[in-house]
Amino acid sequence: MDKPDQTVIAEMTGPTDISDNLVKREAKKAAVWLGMAALFALVVLLAQPIMVIIGGIVFAAMIDGGQRLIARVAPFLPRWSRITIVLLSALGFLVWLVTFAGGQIAAQAAQFPDVLNTQIARLTILAQSHGITLQDFNLQQIAAQVLGSVGQVTRALGGIFGGFTTAFLIFILAIYFVIEPDLYRRGLSWMLPEHSREHFEGTAQRMGKTLRMLLFGRLVGMSVEGIATWALLAWWGVPMAALLGLLTGLLAFLPNIGAPISGLLMVLVGFSGGTEMGLFCIAVYVIVQTVDGNIIVPMVAKRTADLAPALVLGAQLMLGLLFGILGLMLADPIVAMIKIALERRAERNDEARTTA
């Protein structure tokens, strides 16, 4: 029997060839879904590195916003020198932060259970004076639950200062991104089809501007809340006024979540010094949050993505559960970038319908 010609073999139907068009379309759909599932699994596996990269982008936008602000005051300075000034200032603040608060936070966090026990004992006496017995109102169980919650809060605060490796990686990535932003933007644009590159450039520019304004407003809010809290508490003589002001400023970076945590810590410390001091701490919290919520936040929101609070809170809950403190910190920048991308996509669709 003669062997078939090589050309004939090449034209013969193989085991992977599909002649039925319906089966071919269904196979393509299955391949797309399998590819999406594989991509999702890859994102889950690489979630932490992706969050670190996003953190580098966000911090780079903050550095870029700082050098742009310096450029308005000293336009004669070259860009690299303005970036150096911003980086040295940030490094100096971090060194001061660790030196001033690094040891004190652990010591003060250990005192919070004692403060709570004192307040629970006072509440027990007050309840008994009004005829409420422990059988009707189990204060010990409530105390255990509150102590457990405070323990989680203090562990989270300790994680802020314990993630030096992640912070260092974010810092290094931010430096690379901010030194040559056009290099990375062109690289991402090159991987897209030619007809999408102009759209991507516009989206990237708008995202960068939104991030700069969002982070600028966040830094202003952090400074106002921290300094105002420290000054008012120190004026009244509240213990740990400087530490409480520092924590209030740092936690202000976490919208919706940071303010209640800092307020709880402030009020607990305040009532440990008496009823009047506790009421004063409540008043300080209300005044500071009112000023920030009614003046600073609306002023910044007009020039940024104007994110809905419920949307940001939902993103914080999900990303915080998945990625911890890093997810909480990056929730609203991520939501802002997604919103900008969706708005740009809608604008592109409107333009396509108009020209059609």
Side-chain angles (χ1 to χ4, degrees), residues 31-72:
V32 170
W33 283 108
L34 289 175
M36 292 294 294
L39 181 62
F40 179 78
L42 184 63
V43 169
V44 171
L45 292 175
L46 300 178
Q48 195 66 26
I50 290 174
M51 291 298 293
V52 172
I53 293 173
I54 294 175
I57 294 173
V58 172
F59 192 49
M62 188 182 301
I63 298 173
D64 187 53
Q67 70 87 15
R68 287 171 183 261
L69 187 62
I70 295 176
R72 295 185 178 184

Side-chain angles (χ1 to χ4, degrees), residues 14 38 53 76 113 136-137 167 226 256 266 304 319 322 324 341 349:
I53 293 173
F76 55 88
D136 301 327
F137 194 59
N256 303 322
M266 189 191 312
T304 57
L319 294 179
L322 292 173
N349 292 337

Side-chain angles (χ1 to χ4, degrees), residues 201-317:
E201 288 288 339
T203 303
Q205 294 288 346
R206 187 179 296 184
M207 283 183 179
K209 182 179 179 180
T210 300
L211 283 179
R212 289 193 299 269
M213 293 303 304
L214 181 67
L215 296 173
F216 173 75
R218 192 64 46 78
L219 290 177
V220 172
M222 291 170 63
S223 302
V224 170
E225 290 190 28
I227 295 174
T229 300
W230 165 73
L232 292 173
L233 295 182
W235 174 72
W236 191 268
V238 177
M240 300 179 290
L243 181 60
L244 288 172
L246 177 61
L247 288 175
T248 300
L250 291 176
L251 290 172
F253 192 83
L254 307 177
N256 303 322
I257 295 177
I261 295 176
S262 62
L264 173 63
L265 301 179
M266 189 191 312
V267 171
L268 288 176
V269 174
F271 275 104
S272 67
T275 304
E276 292 184 358
M277 184 176 292
L279 294 176
F280 177 77
C281 289
I282 294 176
V284 169
Y285 172 76
V286 171
I287 292 172
V288 171
Q289 295 303 319
T290 300
V291 171
D292 183 57
N294 294 328
I295 298 177
I296 298 175
V297 172
M299 178 184 66
V300 176
K302 291 179 180 178
R303 304 186 63 181
T304 57
D306 195 13
L307 303 175
L311 179 63
V312 175
L313 181 58
Q316 286 178 324
L317 293 176

